[in-house]
Amino acid sequence: MSTRILIPLDSSAVALGADEVAAAIASEASKRKGDVSIVRTGSYGMHWLEPLIDVGGVGFGPVTVADVPSLFDSEFGNHRLNIGRIDDHPFMKAQTRLTFARCGRIDPLSLAEYQAGGGLNGIGAAIMLGPAQTIEFVVRSGLRGRGGAGFPTGIKWKTVADTKSDTKYVVCNADEGDSGTFSDRMIMEGDPLVLIEGMAIAAIATGATKGYIYIRSEYPIAIQVMNQALRAARAGGLLGKSVFGSPYVFDIEVRVGAGAYVCGEETSLLESLEGRRGQVRAKPPLPAIQGLFGKPTVVNNVISLASIPAILSGGADEYKSLGTGRSRGSIPIQLAGNVKYAGLFEAPFGMTLGDLVMKIGGGTRSGRPVRAVQVGGPLGAYFPTSLFDTPFDYEAFTAKGGLIGHAGIVVFDNTVDLARQARFAMEFCAIESCGKCTPCRIGSVRGVEVIDRILAGNSVDDHLKLLDDLCSTLRQGSLCALGGFVPYPVMSAVTHFPEDFRKKVA
Amino acid sequence: MASHASWDEKHAAEIIGGFTSMAGATLPILHALQESFGFITERAIEMVADALNLSRAEVYGVVSFYHDFRREPPGKHVLKLCRAEACQSMGADALAARDKSDLGIDWHGTTADGRVTLEPVFCLGLCSCAPAAMIDGKLVGRLTETTLTSTLAKARA
Ligand SMILES: Cc1cc2nc3c(=O)[nH]c(=O)nc-3n(C[C@H](O)[C@H](O)[C@H](O)COP(=O)(O)O)c2cc1C
Ligand code: SF4
Ligand code: FES
């Protein structure tokens, strides 16, 4: 019998040598005339073990090319890199994997494996329910957009459905620009068909016939896998003139971004898709009413859309029963930066930040004490360890002066200088500003200058006051959250780590 | 290694012609042109403007808005180093400083011998194996000074 070896094609595994390991396994197998079939898969999300290979459910990692002969010698059994059954690993056992149920386990391009793993039940349900009931179902699940703003997905869909138009679009926001986040990338690389299924359900629900996935150019592997998956979906009848055998028509095209962070903002993204500079549009009109090419458009994040099939097949009330407060269901949390067990961890909302960083993440990778974590990307607040009791929940984070954003947690050890991090936030805003509002365009440059004076120990109190004023102006005078939220990282650093702003003060 | 064709107007016209039926084709065309020729020439901007019925200023505006599009030819090798927060937490700033001084260039610069262009990138989605880089399109995680130095030495040899 042929030995089936799963080797991730996920970017993080590839960046740690998975392609070289795959080549070495293939050549070792042919040298030994072994009957081995290699399948390139997504990642399970235990990135400290990458490249992590899976042989019959047992994991070996992190594998290097040099380990390959001894792995064959052990017949993929008793080996130093054997981590036991992957599903029994504590990092996996502690999770509730709904959106990521199949990621890492299946051939991402096989519709048959996708279906065997529970895929395609959602679209079957949507076709049976019809548009109105499908939307009702999504509303009832309590799903809120995972792109950052947390807007209820079902309500957005209803607006598009209720707007009359000859043409409607579903646009998937795969711009994932936030540092510390990679869940969109992992789904596109490891289970792209679930995103396609989710988009097709959104199309059926709203009456859209054409979809776009806007993927950032920094994700070459995701772009490639997504395009291959679209071809597989068309060949398998999931897309096209009769979606999954129904009368609905829908197809999807991948478009590639060009290195502008602001294009993750939905109206900027639409401008970019139309071929223009990614300048943010004033709202109203909402994209749901006048979006791409002026037509009603659903714009949703990858994870929002990829969560839909599991909701439709598993039940709205079941989904809603997970979570806490107004944050319902599960959320793929990304543990990033200086953290020991870095990777993707899907869990119901409600775990505390401290448990995520210390218990799940194991503290820092450097072994030094944790000093700060930034949650929610470059526009998210820096939290000290004294806020580690904050539950992972939209409202709880807002109450503490932060945000969840796209659920990335970046961990810093005690070598971090928060004044420098605040400076970086302003610099990033200056580099990425779309230029439409003066406070964002000019204020961010001023912000860098003011922090430079503080770093130099020059009239620190006056300049801190100026920084505070500048942040108020940015908060009030910005059209979008790039300028509007940059005060989060800056002022949280000032508030929670004031000593870092006074290093040069006698 | 990044190998690019030298400018060829006929080839450029063919590339542009392949996109005429696409809605909102500006970015896809610019990406395709840059992939072939390494950067966006003045003449390319004119041709895209003509093909899409836009003014030259509009196309120029698009090219200048997006960080990906270059107006100058890159070096033989392009090193994109991640500058974003997760990579900072694992020492990316020091790596970048070291790299800049080794190469004698700043961000967006190309070494005098034309071998290496250094570009910043804000996140490659490799934040769980930081610091990260992309070298001639290949992803690298957990970059160290040693790996970076040897990669650069290879690129400049
Ligand atoms: C500067 C900026 C960047 C953003 N980047 C992203 C992004 O990369 N991905 C994303 O899904 N949403 C991003 N958003 C949020 C989108 O504007 C929008 O809320 C989201 O795509 C809606 O989808 P959802 O409801 O499924 O979350 C960004 C917003 C701003 C202001
Ligand atoms: S806040 Fe900044 S990025 Fe947002 S619209 Fe204004 S200028 Fe553009
Ligand atoms: S922050 Fe460097 S790869 Fe994400």
Side-chain angles (χ1 to χ4, degrees):
Chain A
M1 206 188 85
S2 158
T3 311
R4 184 173 145 106
I5 304 183
L6 310 184
I7 308 174
L9 54 70
D10 182 277
S11 294
S12 60
V14 168
L16 298 171
D19 287 348
E20 290 76 7
V21 167
I25 289 179
S27 93
E28 191 71 23
S30 79
K31 208 157 70 192
R32 300 188 185 219
K33 308 209 182 335
D35 190 6
V36 164
S37 72
I38 294 175
V39 182
R40 300 302 298 269
T41 59
S43 163
Y44 283 101
M46 296 189 280
H47 292 160
W48 72 96
L49 291 173
E50 293 293 1
L52 173 67
I53 68 170
D54 171 342
V55 185
V58 176
F60 299 84
V63 179
T64 66
V65 169
D67 298 316
V68 170
S70 63
L71 280 166
F72 274 86
D73 290 343
S74 79
E75 295 179 342
F76 296 93
N78 194 359
H79 191 278
R80 167 179 67 82
L81 299 178
N82 185 325
I83 65 155
R85 291 200 65 77
I86 293 172
D87 286 338
D88 293 340
H89 193 285
F91 191 85
M92 296 297 290
K93 280 193 106 149
Q95 298 187 52
T96 305
R97 287 208 163 201
L98 299 175
T99 307
F100 278 80
R102 281 168 302 268
C103 191
R105 287 171 208 284
I106 63 161
D107 176 348
L109 301 176
S110 161
L111 214 54
E113 288 187 27
Y114 178 65
Q115 188 157 24
L120 300 180
N121 290 329
I123 191 145
I127 292 166
M128 241 166 49
L129 288 169
Q133 281 197 59
T134 298
I135 291 175
E136 190 43 47
F137 208 96
V138 175
V139 170
R140 214 170 69 226
S141 75
L143 177 70
R144 292 165 69 179
R146 302 295 192 234
F151 188 83
T153 304
I155 307 284
K156 188 183 284 185
W157 289 15
K158 190 161 178 4
T159 309
V160 176
D162 289 346
T163 307
K164 291 220 176 340
S165 174
D166 52 348
T167 311
K168 296 179 186 180
Y169 297 101
V170 175
V171 171
C172 170
N173 187 341
D175 201 45
E176 197 167 61
D178 290 357
S179 167
T181 68
F182 42 81
S183 58
D184 296 352
R185 177 182 68 60
M186 283 183 63
I187 275 290
M188 291 190 285
E189 293 172 353
D191 196 9
L193 293 167
V194 80
L195 174 57
I196 295 172
E197 184 181 352
M199 288 179 73
I201 294 169
I204 290 172
T206 58
T209 50
K210 167 106 198 187
Y212 289 93
I213 309 177
Y214 185 93
I215 310 180
R216 62 201 302 258
S217 61
E218 293 85 346
Y219 283 1
I221 298 177
I223 292 165
Q224 188 194 340
V225 176
M226 211 59 240
N227 272 313
Q228 291 169 329
L230 286 173
R231 285 194 285 276
R234 274 180 216 120
L238 181 55
L239 294 175
K241 295 240 177 307
S242 164
V243 170
F244 204 51
S246 73
Y248 298 102
V249 177
F250 185 59
D251 209 332
I252 300 173
E253 196 182 310
V254 166
R255 287 292 175 92
V256 178
Y261 175 76
V262 73
C263 286
E265 195 283 334
E266 56 186 5
T267 62
S268 163
L269 187 154
L270 296 175
E271 286 289 306
S272 184
L273 271 179
E274 291 181 17
R276 286 190 289 276
R277 298 161 67 87
Q279 263 187 331
V280 173
R281 297 178 186 168
K283 285 188 262 191
L286 291 172
I289 291 166
Q290 244 179 287
L292 187 64
F293 303 115
K295 305 292 183 184
T297 304
V298 173
V299 184
N300 271 137
N301 172 255
V302 173
I303 299 298
S304 314
L305 290 161
S307 300
I308 295 289
I311 292 172
L312 274 154
S313 60
D317 297 323
E318 285 74 3
Y319 191 78
K320 193 172 189 167
S321 72
L322 300 172
T324 173
R326 287 176 48 222
S327 306
R328 310 310 312 181
S330 69
I331 173 110
I333 292 158
Q334 298 124 91
L335 295 166
N338 196 339
V339 62
K340 192 167 175 193
Y341 303 124
L344 182 124
F345 187 88
E346 182 174 351
F349 285 96
M351 282 180 76
T352 66
L353 182 57
D355 279 355
L356 286 165
V357 173
M358 302 310 294
K359 288 214 183 104
I360 305 299
T364 63
R365 184 172 168 89
S366 62
R368 304 174 70 102
V370 174
R371 180 145 184 262
V373 298
Q374 186 180 29
V375 183
L379 307 173
Y382 285 96
F383 275 14
T385 53
S386 58
L387 290 177
F388 268 13
D389 59 348
T390 312
F392 214 77
D393 157 319
Y394 294 103
E395 280 70 37
F397 264 69
T398 310
K400 299 278 174 74
L403 51 99
I404 285 184
H406 189 46
I409 302 178
V410 177
V411 181
F412 293 81
D413 71 14
N414 62 355
T415 60
V416 69
D417 178 341
L418 273 300
R420 298 226 135 256
Q421 298 309 122
R423 184 191 189 278
F424 176 78
M426 284 292 191
E427 184 192 1
F428 182 73
C429 182
I431 293 172
E432 299 298 336
S433 170
C434 85
K436 196 153 179 162
C437 335
T438 315
C440 172
R441 190 179 70 240
I442 311 283
S444 53
V445 178
R446 289 279 291 129
V448 173
E449 293 164 5
V450 171
I451 298 175
D452 276 340
R453 298 212 180 95
I454 295 171
L455 282 165
N458 177 347
S459 318
V460 169
D461 288 319
D462 294 348
H463 283 120
L464 279 172
K465 172 83 180 56
L466 202 59
L467 188 60
D468 196 11
D469 291 347
L470 194 59
C471 282
S472 305
T473 310
L474 275 159
R475 233 179 257 122
Q476 287 152 21
S478 299
L479 185 58
C480 87
L482 181 46
F485 283 10
V486 73
Y488 275 106
V490 174
M491 292 316 294
S492 61
V494 173
T495 307
H496 300 303
F497 305 91
E499 62 278 18
D500 287 15
F501 292 79
R502 297 181 177 279
K503 284 186 177 161
K504 284 274 175 75
V505 183
Chain B
M1 194 181 0
S3 64
H4 297 119
S6 47
W7 174 252
D8 170 350
E9 187 151 334
K10 201 165 140 257
H11 184 199
E14 276 165 24
I15 292 174
I16 297 169
F19 289 93
T20 41
S21 62
M22 185 187 254
T26 325
L27 268 71
I29 292 176
L30 292 172
H31 272 307
L33 289 171
Q34 179 154 305
E35 192 172 311
S36 288
F37 304 114
F39 69 114
I40 308 292
T41 63
E42 208 61 49
R43 181 66 190 127
I45 291 180
E46 265 174 36
M47 290 171 71
V48 174
D50 285 348
L52 298 181
N53 230 339
L54 299 169
S55 72
R56 236 182 286 176
E58 280 171 298
V59 179
Y60 178 80
V62 173
V63 172
S64 63
F65 183 86
Y66 294 97
H67 301 304
D68 278 3
F69 299 128
R70 292 189 202 99
R71 304 287 324 283
E72 306 282 334
K76 222 169 166 60
H77 301 276
V78 176
L79 168 60
K80 294 183 186 227
L81 273 185
C82 179
R83 282 195 63 197
E85 291 88 340
C87 286
Q88 292 166 13
S89 78
M90 290 300 287
D93 288 347
L95 268 183
R98 163 76 189 264
D99 199 36
K100 286 194 227 169
S101 87
D102 281 1
L103 295 171
I105 49 177
D106 204 343
W107 296 118
H108 304 289
T110 300
T111 50
D113 61 5
R115 305 285 307 179
V116 183
T117 296
L118 177 65
E119 289 177 349
V121 59
F122 293 96
C123 196
L124 291 161
L126 300 174
C127 331
S128 55
C129 40
M134 191 191 263
I135 302 166
D136 295 336
K138 188 175 156 35
L139 299 169
V140 191
R142 284 194 213 124
L143 202 61
T144 61
E145 267 194 23
T146 326
T147 47
L148 186 58
T149 313
S150 73
T151 308
L152 285 177
K154 254 187 254 156
R156 305 193 74 189

